[in-house]
Amino acid sequence: MPEIVRQAALVAAAVDTGLFAGLFTAFAYAVMPGLARAGDTAFVEAMQRINAAILNPVFAVVFAGTPVLLAAAAAVHLGADGAAAAWLGAALALVAVVIAVTMALNVPLNNALERAGHPADPARAARARRAFEAAWVRWNVLRAALSVAALACAATALTA
């Protein structure tokens, strides 16, 4: 495999992993703390709109593309650069855990919040928020930490 292909795969994987980590960390340090200051109705409506808006092609490329690019980069480095392949494998394992947490924990919370409907009734909005916010934030902070660790592994592979 030509070195330029290996390097391109490595850079693409690292960049996509950075975008992946950036998504979860931005929610952890900016979006959710900002929404925490909103009233119940505004919080529920904003999260419902965010959950609908995020399902777009850019998100799909980042969310689904990151493990694909990490796996491809690790594969082209096997045999040629074992250290880079190992770091990429570690990044891939961390990303896989983030995806599992997302699908098993965050997405069901998003779906339940959507089923709560339009939060016109303040009591209903408060109940929906209580059932959602603390758990979603907790699991997102875990996703943020794991995805930053994955980014650190991918970045280390660049210098391995």
Side-chain angles (χ1 to χ4, degrees), residues 99-110 135-136 139 142-143:
I99 291 170
V101 167
T102 299
M103 301 313 290
L105 300 165
N106 291 88
V107 168
L109 289 166
N110 292 346
W136 196 95
W139 296 120
L142 176 63
R143 296 186 304 174

Side-chain angles (χ1 to χ4, degrees), residues 16 19 23 53-65:
D16 209 39
L19 294 170
L23 171 68
I54 202 166
L55 299 176
N56 65 65
V58 175
F59 172 76
V61 167
V62 171
F63 191 75

Side-chain angles (χ1 to χ4, degrees), residues 27 35 40-55 109-120 124-125 128-129 132:
F27 268 89
L35 289 177
D40 296 333
T41 300
F43 176 91
V44 171
E45 184 175 4
M47 279 307 301
Q48 287 174 335
R49 289 178 186 229
I50 288 168
N51 289 337
I54 202 166
L55 299 176
L109 289 166
N110 292 346
N111 293 341
L113 190 66
E114 183 60 31
R115 285 191 304 274
H118 187 272
R124 185 174 175 186
R129 182 178 189 168
F132 176 85

